[in-house]
């Protein structure tokens, strides 16, 4: 029987493999716009149309498409290249951030009927987005335009669209695996079923007999060197406690062996054939128990690993006191004390962790290793790989394509280390791509926190004492553990003025899936406790919670003091916290959303605020280069990665402004270790304030060079020369940039500027969130009636894009507040290893948040800008909990605020029980 389908008006007769799904079939034939997001029909990233009907191609058997017409996002546009109306709308509204989900949304939205368009929550229930918060997607579908093309030299402060917009909506933007590599081998990992065990023996002989298996790697093949999977500019920030493959496994899901084969199926079968003899070891899942005497020691290592107290499973700790908290509590009229808890959360970026490694000749013909990875930190990954395998840096190139979401989860080296082990041994291209289940089992999570807080205040609301006891569960490995713990008690305490402060904080090993960097980097967990406690303290004092905050927040000229240690390079270089709180006050005063609450429901409102540093401590470095090309356009080279954070657009705007041109004449090359000297990476909200400042310096340097060279060339005083869109105007003469480039080349001059920024000093950004909610007392259902967010981002470089970052941050935080949680069973195994068991916010779950920007201009950031990628996340959970307290009278001290938890608390309250 012959097989034939028509894909994007092209006939294809290749027979699918038995059991092959349509998604893999299409991707194998080069239709890379079809994405892999969940493996289970949960996210919609793989949506295509079969005979005009949208289907999840990961669930659709390829054989079933026989005789049918299949359309992928690449085939949505007209044959002459004109965009489909829905593609054009997504470009004009910028209905995406990282864009990994966009093809799926386009294929669904373009097939909706008029009736279905009237009910988008139901119509889009099969498509998930982790980045946008869905407002931009709805606007795109409705035909609302947000993008604009600014005038020459006036790009900053306007909203040009992302340079990659046309590629994203046509499926031609290239993510990590959207390439063809000849002779590619596939790696799969065998993972431990036990939370703690020693490998007594491992037999790989049966695996090696599987047809197609090329090699099996175990701890016998791995380097002995210890390192950390976390990537920081200074590696000593993290403990060296990890091996590529270890004879001791410390969590259920840790990799035990790697199988490399001609196909994924053969590699998976090879993993099933490996026989492992484990010696089971005692394990501990609770961090308090892990610190107790007699607990099993998870990492019995020496001081060279930089673990604070291995015998107590404490990877890092901080203790400090300003003044005397005992004295402050004695002076207080009211004292509030409580313990708050936050849960594990998965980053859930739709593109999972993965990389491809191969060899190619350099310009001299010498062989070198290329690693294409879904990473936020290509330069730091190269550095780590070279250290691990004793390779010279010039031998290794690390490049990131467009990255499908990160949120801190890809500030790790979780696949590149073992992939390079195989590539170096086999001297062939190798690919490793996590499944969605592996993303839950073997990647990282947000740190679970326990935060004990004690606040004391005088009758007028003035704080007298502020004490925290923080325990962070870093899981089986300490990647990011000490840094997250230290950061969590920094700005969360420093934002409030109190004469007596004390902190005791611990980052603790347990035999559970490792935690890592996550949006907010610990601040969100502690802010949940601090802002909830401030709200409760206000109630006990009989004060408006906003008044209590206003009486205690630091002012623009006050020191930021935390007992955990002062960060000397941190400054309040612009101050918008008062404006943020004023936005909340105005929202409350003018709110009419209570009219939207169903009859009989409980209604409440609540707010919270936060402060965050605009970059990590200890230096965050970026190099940039800007050069004039022979066609009269410009090229900007930066090292930082694009994963929906929008830095590409901002860098384009900065360069266009400095060079007096328009954004369409700026081309960006990025995230490639061949392009610039160094870039610490796209984390810590540094894309604008660090890499952007390097771009600004490089563009300004080139502008000066162009004006000086043009003045000499045109024999015109320098003061009479100015840059325009395509030329330099020299008094009465216009010198086209093409002509200027040719003249410079003839003289052996390259018209190019270099820029560098070291990330210090640093400023702080402020945020405030307010909710009005309604609660059904009979079922625990919660509806958000209104959501308002105030953000101090300094000078807003791109209002559309910055608003999208805020909306996406609020949406992600709402997921963590209301239902997201990574659950472990009694043996430490993740039991929520699929999207259908781990609930992500869908279109119907996320309200439209009103975003307000303050009017400030930062003295440190480029052109007055501050960061705004992480900070919107932090005040959401406490603001929501405070609104829930206002509505129900119950103080919830643990997230997520699940519907059944709310119902049970209300039932206990009605029954007279304790909350």
């Amino acid at each position: 029987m012959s097989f034939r389908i028509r894909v994007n008006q092209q006939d294809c007769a290749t027979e699918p493999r038995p059991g092959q799904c349509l998604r893999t079939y299409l991707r194998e034939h080069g239709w890379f716009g079809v994405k892999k997001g969940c493996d289970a029909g949960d996210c919609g990233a793989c949506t295509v149309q079969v005979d005009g009907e949208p289907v999840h191609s990961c669930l659709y058997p390829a054989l079933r498409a026989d005789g049918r017409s299949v359309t992928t996002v690449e085939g949505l546009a007209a044959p002459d290249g004109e965009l489909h109306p829905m593609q054009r709308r997504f470009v004009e509204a910028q209905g995406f951030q990282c864009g990994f989900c966009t093809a799926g949304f386009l294929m669904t939205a373009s097939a909706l009927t008029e009736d279905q368009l009237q009910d988008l929550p139901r119509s889009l229930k099969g498509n998930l987005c982790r980045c946008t918060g869905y407002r931009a997607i709805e606007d795109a579908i409705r035909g609302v335009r947000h993008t604009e093309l600014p005038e020459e030299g006036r790009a900053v402060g306007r909203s040009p669209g992302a340079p990659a917009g046309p590629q994203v909506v046509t499926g031609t933007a290239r993510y990590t695996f959207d390439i063809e590599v000849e002779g590619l081998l596939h790696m799969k990992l065998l993972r431990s079923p036990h939370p703690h065990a020693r490998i007594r023996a491992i037999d790989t002989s049966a695996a090696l007999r599987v047809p197609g298996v090329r090699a099996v790697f175990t701890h016998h093949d791995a380097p002995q060197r210890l390192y950390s999977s976390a990537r920081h500019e200074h590696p000593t920030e993290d403990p060296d406690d990890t091996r590529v493959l270890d004879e001791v496994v410390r969590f259920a899901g840790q990799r035990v062996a790697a199988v490399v084969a001609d196909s994924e199926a053969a590699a998976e079968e090879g993993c099933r054939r490996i026989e492992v003899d484990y010696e089971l070891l005692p394990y501990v899942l609770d961090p308090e128990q892990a610190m107790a005497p007699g607990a099993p020691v998870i990492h019995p290592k020496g001081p060279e690993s930089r673990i604070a107290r291995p015998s107590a499973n404490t990877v890092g700790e901080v203790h400090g006191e300003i003044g005397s908290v005992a004295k402050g509590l004695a002076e207080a009229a009211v004292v509030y004390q409580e313990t708050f808890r936050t849960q594990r959360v998965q980053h859930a970026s739709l593109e999972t962790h993965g990389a491809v490694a191969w060899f190619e000749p350099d310009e001299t013909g010498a062989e070198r290793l290329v690693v294409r990875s879904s990473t936020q930190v290509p330069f730091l990954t190269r550095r780590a790989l070279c250290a691990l395998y004793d390779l010279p840096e010039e031998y290794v190139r690390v490049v990131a394509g467009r990255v499908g979401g990160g949120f801190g989860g890809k500030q790790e080296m979780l696949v590149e280390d073992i992939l390079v082990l195989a590539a170096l041994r086999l001297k062939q291209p190798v690919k490793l791509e996590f499944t969605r289940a592996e993303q839950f089992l073997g990647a990282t999570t947000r740190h679970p926190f326990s935060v004990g807080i004690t606040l004391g205040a005088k009758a007028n609301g003035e704080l007298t004492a502020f004490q925290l006891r923080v325990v962070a569960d870093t899981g089986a490995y300490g990647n990011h553990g000490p840094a997250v713990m230290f950061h969590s008690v920094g700005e969360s305490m420093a934002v409030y003025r109190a004469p007596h402060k004390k902190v005791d904080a611990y980052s603790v090993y347990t035999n559970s899936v490792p935690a890592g960097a996550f949006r907010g980097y610990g601040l969100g967990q502690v802010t949940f406790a601090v802002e909830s406690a401030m709200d409760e303290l206000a109630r006990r004092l009989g004060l408006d919670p906003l008044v209590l905050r206003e009486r205690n927040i630091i002012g623009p000229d006050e020191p930021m003091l935390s007992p955990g240690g002062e960060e000397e390079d941190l400054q309040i270089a612009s101050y918008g916290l008062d404006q943020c709180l004023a936005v909340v006050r105005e929202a409350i005063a003018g709110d009419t959303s209570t009219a939207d609450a169903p009859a009989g429901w409980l209604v409440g409102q609540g707010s919270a605020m936060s402060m965050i540093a605009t970059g990590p401590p200890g230096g965050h470095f970026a190099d940039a280069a800007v050069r004039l090309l022979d066609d009269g356009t410009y090229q900007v080279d930066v090292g930082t990665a694009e994963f929906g954070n929008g830095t590409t657009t901002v860098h384009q705007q900065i360069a266009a402004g400095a060079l007096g041109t328009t954004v369409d004449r700026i081309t960006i090359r990025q995230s490639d270790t061949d392009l610039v000297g160094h870039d610490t990476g796209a984390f810590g909200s540094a894309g604008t304030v660090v890499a952007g400042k390097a771009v600004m310096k490089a563009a300004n340097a080139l502008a000066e060079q162009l004006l000086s060279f043009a003045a000499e060339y045109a024999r015109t005083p320098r003061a009479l020369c100015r840059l325009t869109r395509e030329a330099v105007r020299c008094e009465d003469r216009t010198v086209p940039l093409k002509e200027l480039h040719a003249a410079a080349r003839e003289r052996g001059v390259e018209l190019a500027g270099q820029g560098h920024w070291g990330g210090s000093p640093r400023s702080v950004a402020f945020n405030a969130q307010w909710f009005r909610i309604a609660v059904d007392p009979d079922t625990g259902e919660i509806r958000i009636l209104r959501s308002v967010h105030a953000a101090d981002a300094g000078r807003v470089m791109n209002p559309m894009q910055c608003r999208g970052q805020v909306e996406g941050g609020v949406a992600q935080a709402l997921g963590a507040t209301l239902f997201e949680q990574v659950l472990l069973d009694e043996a430490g195994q993740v039991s929520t290893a699929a999207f259908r068991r781990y609930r992500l916010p869908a279109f119907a779950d996320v309200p439209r948040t009103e975003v307000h920007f303050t009017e400030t201009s930062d003295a440190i950031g480029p052109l007055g800008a501050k960061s705004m990628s992480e900070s919107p996340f932090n005040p959401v959970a406490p603001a929501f909990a405070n609104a829930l307290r206002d509505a129900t009278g119950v103080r919830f001290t643990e997230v997520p605020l699940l519907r059944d938890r709310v119902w049970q608390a209300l039932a206990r309250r009605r029954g007279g029980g304790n909350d």
Side-chain angles (χ1 to χ4, degrees), residues 8 33-34 44-50 52-55 70-76 86-87 90 101-112 127 169:
N8 297 332
V34 184
C46 68
T47 304
V48 301
Q49 293 174 9
V50 178
E53 290 294 323
V55 301
V70 175
T71 305
T72 74
V73 70
E74 292 97 330
L76 202 57
M86 192 60 71
Q87 289 173 312
F90 267 72
C101 69
T102 303
F105 271 99
L106 281 165
M107 300 314 293
T108 299
S110 62
L112 296 179
N127 293 82
V169 303

Side-chain angles (χ1 to χ4, degrees), residues 282-406:
Y283 62 92
V284 59
L285 300 177
D286 180 87
E288 294 284 1
Q289 294 176 10
M291 287 192 292
V297 177
I298 298 173
H299 285 280
K301 294 179 171 66
E304 66 278 2
S305 285
R306 298 182 303 280
I307 299 171
R309 287 186 292 133
S311 61
N313 292 316
T314 302
V315 62
E317 57 189 326
V318 60
H319 306 279
E321 186 168 17
I322 298 171
S324 169
V325 163
K327 180 181 178 182
L329 293 175
E331 295 172 351
V334 173
V335 173
Y336 176 72
Q337 186 173 27
E338 187 56 87
T339 298
F340 294 82
R341 292 179 172 83
T342 64
Q343 79 283 31
R344 285 180 181 83
V345 177
Q346 235 290 322
H347 304 81
S349 51
L350 288 193
E351 182 188 42
T352 61
H353 283 79
V356 184
W358 69 89
F359 296 89
E360 69 179 16
D362 63 15
E363 59 275 4
T364 69
E367 180 186 74
R368 70 170 181 165
L369 176 67
V370 179
V371 179
R372 180 180 173 91
S373 174
S374 182
T375 180
Q376 298 173 221
V377 284
F379 287 82
L380 299 188
T381 298
R382 179 182 66 173
R383 177 193 289 173
L385 291 172
C386 290
L388 187 57
Y389 292 106
D390 295 315
L391 302 172
E393 285 199 354
E394 61 270 17
Y395 179 76
V396 180
R397 175 190 177 200
V398 177
V399 59
R402 190 172 178 89
V403 177

Side-chain angles (χ1 to χ4, degrees), residues 776-799:
D776 184 350
D778 296 322
T779 67
E781 179 184 348
I782 303 174
R783 293 185 189 175
I784 300 173
L785 304 178
R786 194 173 172 205
S787 171
V788 176
H789 193 98
D792 173 19
R795 185 183 182 191
V796 179
M797 309 294 271
N798 185 311

Side-chain angles (χ1 to χ4, degrees), residues 556-867:
D557 300 316
E558 294 183 59
M560 293 174 284
L561 301 178
S562 170
E566 192 171 354
E567 299 179 49
E568 295 180 355
D569 70 335
L570 198 58
Q571 305 174 13
I572 301 178
S574 60
Y575 186 82
L577 182 53
D578 52 349
Q579 295 181 52
C580 289
L581 294 178
V583 167
V584 171
R585 189 176 295 283
E586 184 176 342
I588 295 171
D591 183 59
T592 60
S593 63
T594 52
D596 299 326
W601 286 40
L602 308 172
V603 177
Q605 60 87 22
S607 61
M609 44 153 267
S610 63
M611 177 176 78
I612 190 171
T614 60
H620 193 108
F621 304 104
D623 293 326
V626 185
R627 55 181 51 86
L628 178 66
L629 303 179
D630 58 7
D631 64 354
T633 63
Y634 299 96
Q635 178 178 283
V636 176
D637 290 345
V638 291
T640 192
E642 173 64 61
F643 54 102
N645 47 355
T647 54
T648 309
T649 316
V650 169
H651 296 164
Q652 195 180 49
Q653 291 177 258
I654 289 172
L659 295 165
T661 190
T662 50
V663 292
D664 58 309
R665 297 183 66 79
I666 306 287
T667 301
I668 308 284
R669 299 193 305 172
Q670 62 200 82
S671 10
D672 184 339
T673 55
D674 274 2
L675 294 179
V676 295
H678 184 66
D679 190 284
T680 298
F683 66 89
S685 301
T688 293
V689 297
V690 179
K693 195 152 184 174
V695 169
M696 182 184 72
K697 287 173 172 285
N700 285 338
L702 176 57
E704 286 301 313
Q705 187 185 16
L706 287 170
L707 291 170
S708 297
F709 188 85
E712 180 186 351
Y713 177 73
R715 298 181 180 179
T716 304
R718 162 70 176 75
L720 298 179
C721 297
R722 66 180 181 87
L723 287 161
T724 64
R725 183 175 183 268
E726 301 180 44
V728 180
R729 183 71 178 170
C730 297
E731 197 170 11
D732 297 328
R733 179 181 175 185
T734 298
V735 182
L737 291 173
K738 290 182 183 180
E739 180 181 332
L740 207 62
H741 183 278
R745 183 171 54 190
E746 187 174 326
R747 299 183 190 182
V749 175
E750 183 186 18
L751 296 174
Q754 307 294 321
H756 173 82
W757 180 243
S760 183
R762 300 173 296 145
S763 187
V764 290
F766 301 98
N767 295 76
Q769 173 71 39
W770 177 78
F771 288 108
R772 173 84 70 185
I773 66 170
V775 184
D776 184 350
D778 296 322
T779 67
E781 179 184 348
I782 303 174
R783 293 185 189 175
I784 300 173
L785 304 178
R786 194 173 172 205
S787 171
V788 176
H789 193 98
D792 173 19
R795 185 183 182 191
V796 179
M797 309 294 271
N798 185 311
M800 169 193 67
Q801 187 171 271
C802 195
R803 183 181 66 180
Q805 287 290 295
V806 173
E807 291 168 341
V810 171
Q812 191 174 37
L814 277 172
T817 301
L818 293 175
F819 33 74
E820 289 185 49
Q821 55 180 339
V822 176
L823 296 177
L824 309 181
D825 63 20
E826 293 180 355
Q829 185 81 249
V830 174
S831 59
T832 49
F835 281 159
R836 64 187 56 193
R837 292 193 293 273
Y838 178 89
R839 184 182 167 192
L840 287 180
F843 186 98
D845 297 312
V846 181
R848 291 178 74 94
T849 293
E850 304 164 35
V851 179
H852 301 265
F853 293 115
T854 64
E855 296 182 4
T856 60
S857 181
D858 199 69
I860 296 173
L863 304 174
K866 293 199 284 195
S867 62

Side-chain angles (χ1 to χ4, degrees), residues 166-183:
Q167 290 75 44
V168 168
V169 303
T170 56
T172 55
R174 290 294 175 248
Y175 295 81
T176 307
F177 297 110
D178 297 342
I179 57 171
E180 295 182 7
V181 180
E182 189 175 348

Side-chain angles (χ1 to χ4, degrees), residues 535-536 539-540 880-891:
D535 195 79
E536 206 61 40
R539 292 179 181 277
R540 283 158 170 70
F880 200 98
N882 289 340
L884 189 58
R885 166 70 165 89
D886 189 48
T888 64
V890 179
R891 169 56 62 188

